[in-house]
Amino acid sequence: KISFDLAEYTADVDGVGTLRLLDAIKTCGLINSVKFYQASTSELFGKVQEIPQKETTPFYPRSPYGAAKLYAYWIVVNFREAYNLFAVNGILFNHESPRRGANFVTRKISRSVAKIHLGQLECFSLGNLDAKRDWGHAKDYVEAMWLMLQTDEPEDFVIATGEVHSVREFVEKSFKHIGKTIVWEGKNENEVGRCKETGKIHVTVNHKYYRPTEVDFLQGDCTKARQKLNWKPRVTFD
């Protein structure tokens, strides 16, 4: 939701920021010596037009972040075609690791569960529990980024696992890791996640974490990357 609160900043960094880098390459006469990778995103698909999403799926961003990234995507394509720059868009679906910022839902969940396990926290709040994402591991995805830059011709690639899991399922798996079973009670904003073993409420829902326009379902099709880059994810959701 942060990009809705900081919409102009988001456009400046994620949209115009990419243009500044591309323009610097051109201005400095580095077109023939630089390879440029743009960190594109599955948020481009937003209100998905087909399932699963691949390189030819129409874009429909649903946030200032997604809209800014859409500009960045097309300006990369424009510089590639206009100046023959080796520039690629990696359309990466959610990729997680311990380095992920604490404001991202996966780290918020994993850090909060760890604190609950250590007795430092009793309860934390989330937004849309039913949002579904295609989650992979950053280590696998960075390998894909590198492979994109080793090709003879610059092309754009979707990088994903093809598996979809909900935020709710991520919560349940995380608690299971510390030996707790979460049972859901109530509906919508009144829903809570209660520990079956202790009866304590560990998860609540807060509407402030909802986006004004929600992205409900993202699932990637990385067939092109499998075929052309010989890439496949190694780290599973479990």
Side-chain angles (χ1 to χ4, degrees), residues 107-237:
R107 287 298 283 144
K108 182 177 182 179
I109 294 168
S110 59
R111 284 166 61 92
S112 297
V113 171
K115 287 179 180 178
I116 288 170
H117 184 59
L118 295 171
Q120 298 173 359
L121 184 73
E122 183 162 308
C123 185
F124 63 98
S125 297
L126 295 170
N128 183 7
L129 294 170
D130 294 313
K132 294 181 173 65
R133 292 292 184 269
D134 183 330
W135 275 303
H137 196 284
K139 187 175 181 179
D140 285 339
Y141 286 43
V142 170
E143 181 191 18
M145 296 178 195
W146 182 82
L147 288 169
M148 283 179 222
L149 296 171
Q150 311 312 310
T151 58
D152 294 330
E153 295 294 328
E155 291 186 68
D156 305 323
F157 289 90
V158 162
I159 302 299
T161 69
E163 279 189 35
V164 176
H165 301 275
S166 66
V167 172
R168 185 188 301 277
E169 188 180 349
F170 199 101
V171 170
E172 291 167 0
K173 293 265 188 184
S174 299
F175 274 103
K176 219 157 216 151
H177 197 68
I178 62 165
K180 288 180 180 286
T181 306
I182 291 296
V183 178
W184 302 101
E185 301 173 358
K187 287 186 177 181
N188 302 321
E189 289 178 48
N190 296 317
E191 188 169 11
V192 298
R194 190 185 298 276
C195 177
K196 183 179 178 181
E197 289 77 17
T198 65
K200 291 181 179 178
I201 292 175
H202 290 316
V203 186
T204 60
V205 173
N206 192 325
H207 198 264
K208 77 175 184 178
Y209 296 120
Y210 278 71
R211 304 175 183 187
T213 43
E214 189 61 65
V215 176
D216 296 314
F217 186 96
L218 291 173
Q219 180 181 20
D221 179 356
C222 66
T223 300
K224 181 180 175 182
R226 287 178 183 269
Q227 293 174 347
K228 292 198 170 186
L229 302 177
N230 196 28
W231 177 87
K232 63 180 181 180
R234 295 187 180 92
V235 181
T236 65
F237 179 78

Side-chain angles (χ1 to χ4, degrees), residues 31-64:
I31 290 286
N32 296 320
S33 57
V34 164
K35 289 185 175 182
F36 185 86
Y37 173 85
Q38 161 63 9
S40 214
T41 170
S42 58
E43 292 288 323
L44 292 175
F45 298 118
K47 189 176 181 180
V48 298
Q49 301 300 292
E50 68 175 348
I51 296 171
Q53 297 89 54
K54 52 184 182 288
E55 291 80 6
T56 55
T57 301
F59 298 132
Y60 197 141
R62 296 266 283 173
S63 67

